């Protein structure tokens, strides 16, 4: 991205984040307040429960009361809030999806997604390439995902396709996870149970680092700490285990930069500028984080380094 805003942002506008009850949304909330403050805007967050779609619909109705420049909606299936979308179209308020590859875009008002299928497919390929290389082309992996969510479904399809293409002697088998399992911290027990039932597993390949929280201790207690663990979406909760090699490698998601991209889009819309929507689908950048680089990166969970300064230059507030 190189195009600057046409003028300094008009202060006093409001941007709203629908804040889910997951760590990702905590990161989004922190980032949107930081980014909005840079341009003199107010960031508001409205909480909703991923397990209760009605809370998202009611929250979206509430958001309209603030006459926002845009409303950001993270990874919940668009069908769940289809009725609210109609209200937004009538009000002329833009919706920016966050990691919603199935979001159907429209132009008036703008409804589009940041971090889409091209990005998620690349993440899945990176996880598959790690698995193939780390297993020397002969691994059997337990794949941790929540296929009910579009972002995980896209990555799951990608990791399977890439592994099948690159490694005919590799196997990936699903352990389907639900949001209640994440909230109740039931994933470690489910993983240990699956590994005990089939001792031929060599790897755990996760589609999100949060699925690994608490797992290493249970693997060790069960005598299964020889299993190689890696995948996508490193979280701060994974940092210590990456440092000591218990988690071999995870990609980062650059969640905070994703929010800066969303604020960038809102600013451009407020000035009537064209949006680089194709670019928004492919960004943000990501990289593999492992024990060889985690301590050398100023922010291992967001890439590229220095993105805040680059955005402020584009926004004419540097």
């Amino acid at each position: 991205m190189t195009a600057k805003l046409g003028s300094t942002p008009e202060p006093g506008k409001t941007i709203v984040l629908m804040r889910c009850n997951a760590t990702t949304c905590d990161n989004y909330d922190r980032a949107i307040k930081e980014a909005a403050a840079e341009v003199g805007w107010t960031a508001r967050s409205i909480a909703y429960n991923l397990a209760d779609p009605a809370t998202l619909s009611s929250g979206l109705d509430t958001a309209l009361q603030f006459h926002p420049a845009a409303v950001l909606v993270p990874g919940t299936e668009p069908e769940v809030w289809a009725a609210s979308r109609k209200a937004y179209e009538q009000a002329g308020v833009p919706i920016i999806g966050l990691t919603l590859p199935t979001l159907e875009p429209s132009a008036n008002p703008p409804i589009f997604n940041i971090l889409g299928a091209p990005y998620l497919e690349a993440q899945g390929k990176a996880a598959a390439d790690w698995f193939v290389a780390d297993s020397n082309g002969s691994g059997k992996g337990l794949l941790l995902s929540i296929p009910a969510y579009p972002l995980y479904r896209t990555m799951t399809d990608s990791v399977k396709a890439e592994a099948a293409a690159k490694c005919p002697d590799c196997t990936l088998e699903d352990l389907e996870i639900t949001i209640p399992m994440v909230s109740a911290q039931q994933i470690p027990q489910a993983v240990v149970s699956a590994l005990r039932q089939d001792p031929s597993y060599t790897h755990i390949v996760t589609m999100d680092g949060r699925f690994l929280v608490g797992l290493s201790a249970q693997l060790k207690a069960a005598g299964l700490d020889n299993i190689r663990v890696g995948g996508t979406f490193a979280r701060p909760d994974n940092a210590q285990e990456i440092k000591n090699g218990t988690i071999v490698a995870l990609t980062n998601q650059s969640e905070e930069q994703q929010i800066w991209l969303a604020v960038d889009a809102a600013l451009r819309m407020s000035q009537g500028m064209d949006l680089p929507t194709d670019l928004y689908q492919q960004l943000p950048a990501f990289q593999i984080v492992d024990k060889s680089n985690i301590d050398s990166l100023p922010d291992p969970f967001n890439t590229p380094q220095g993105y805040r300064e680059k955005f402020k230059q584009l926004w004419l507030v540097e």
Side-chain angles (χ1 to χ4, degrees), residues 35-84:
E38 293 289 349
V39 296
W41 285 17
T42 298
R44 293 183 178 271
S45 294
I46 298 175
Y48 76 96
N49 190 327
L50 286 166
D52 185 359
T55 60
L56 175 57
S57 297
S58 63
L60 284 166
D61 293 342
T62 299
L64 283 177
Q65 299 175 13
F66 298 112
H67 306 289
V71 174
L72 282 54
V73 182
T76 302
E77 187 73 64
E79 293 178 1
V80 170
W81 44 277
S84 297

Side-chain angles (χ1 to χ4, degrees), residues 284-295:
F286 69 90
Q287 70 178 82
I288 295 284
V289 180
D290 59 23
K291 67 179 182 180
S292 72
N293 65 8
I294 188 169
D295 285 329

